[in-house]
Amino acid sequence: MFNLHIATIAIMAANVMVSLKGFNDTGFFDRYKFNISGIRAGQRDRIVTSGFLHVDFSHLFFNMFTLYFFANVVIGWFGPGKFLIIYFISLIAGSLLAMFFHKDEPYYSAVGASGAVTGILYSAILLNPDMQLGIMFIPIPLPAYVLGIGYLLYSIYGMKSRLGNIGHTAHFGGAIGGYLVTLLFMPELFVTDTFIVVLLAVPIVILFILEKMGKI
């Protein structure tokens, strides 16, 4: 299937099947979405299950489309086992960061694979920073690390201004998860790509400085 590894296909299939169930079953969707009060009540499975639910087909497609482009980069470097570890730790990291920032909002809810997918994206950028990526409205491709940093800075802005119906916190947490686990698996990047490692850490440091200052 378009040169996708079986691990990627399995993740995509799980997202499609769980999301389709959620589209047609409101009770199922409400039970397994990310929800602060539900998690506080002991339903910790929501931390993971929410990452396989989506609001609609476009939400599902966008996440799987992004995963399609970057999964093979991570699998090419680490193999399917470590790819899956990065995926699930990024998913959990996204949920945990959302819990941290929204702990005083019992009705806060979220769904989507964005945290996990952003973790794979950030891992791929760290592994291959010279990748050239293009986005809409910009006619020339840009280095992957420029877009990665820009995306996280935008996420900080989104968290601060509560911009749109988007889980900016989960995106950011997923990126942190992907970043840290990639460095855990390949610590030599600290030596071979020191500049990129430090540069990609800048938005993460900014986020926690702003949080300490009470700006977010």
Side-chain angles (χ1 to χ4, degrees):
M1 179 181 174
F2 307 106
N3 297 318
L4 287 179
H5 192 280
I6 186 65
T8 310
I9 295 172
I11 289 291
M12 288 182 167
N15 272 277
V16 169
M17 288 189 292
V18 175
S19 293
L20 288 175
K21 173 68 173 173
F23 293 162
N24 298 300
D25 187 337
T26 304
F28 177 87
F29 184 91
D30 288 340
R31 169 58 184 84
Y32 291 107
K33 68 183 180 182
F34 181 91
N35 176 261
I36 295 293
S37 60
I39 294 169
R40 282 183 172 177
Q43 297 170 347
R44 294 184 178 88
D45 54 337
R46 292 175 182 263
I47 291 171
V48 174
T49 58
S50 59
F52 290 89
L53 289 166
H54 291 82
V55 173
D56 52 33
F57 281 107
S58 62
H59 186 206
L60 173 63
F61 174 79
F62 181 78
N63 278 332
M64 295 304 98
F65 189 64
T66 305
L67 183 63
Y68 165 77
F69 276 108
F70 296 101
N72 278 350
V73 176
V74 178
I75 292 173
W77 280 87
F78 289 140
K82 289 182 177 178
F83 160 76
L84 291 172
I85 290 171
I86 293 171
Y87 185 92
F88 279 99
I89 288 181
S90 298
L91 190 164
I92 292 167
S95 292
L96 292 179
L97 195 69
M99 287 181 64
F100 176 76
F101 276 97
H102 300 285
K103 57 183 177 294
D104 297 323
E105 304 170 48
Y107 296 106
Y108 180 84
S109 297
V111 293
S114 301
V117 172
T118 305
I120 295 297
L121 167 64
Y122 224 62
S123 176
I125 292 172
L126 192 56
L127 292 167
N128 191 4
D130 293 328
M131 284 190 299
Q132 298 289 308
L133 302 178
I135 59 174
M136 291 186 297
F137 311 121
I138 298 180
I140 58 172
L142 297 172
Y145 67 87
V146 172
L147 292 180
I149 292 168
Y151 182 72
L152 287 198
L153 293 175
Y154 169 75
S155 293
I156 292 174
Y157 171 73
M159 292 164 64
K160 185 176 175 60
S161 62
R162 299 299 179 99
L163 185 67
N165 189 26
I166 300 171
H168 297 287
T169 316
H171 295 181
F172 207 106
I176 293 173
Y179 176 82
L180 293 178
V181 179
T182 300
L183 291 175
L184 179 66
F185 286 156
M186 191 171 283
E188 57 265 36
L189 289 172
F190 283 109
V191 177
T192 60
D193 287 287
T194 306
F195 177 71
I196 294 298
V197 170
V198 172
L199 203 58
L200 290 175
V202 169
I204 299 172
V205 174
I206 290 173
L207 174 70
F208 286 102
I209 289 174
L210 289 175
E211 190 279 328
K212 284 292 183 183
M213 294 173 62
K215 299 294 185 180
I216 295 182

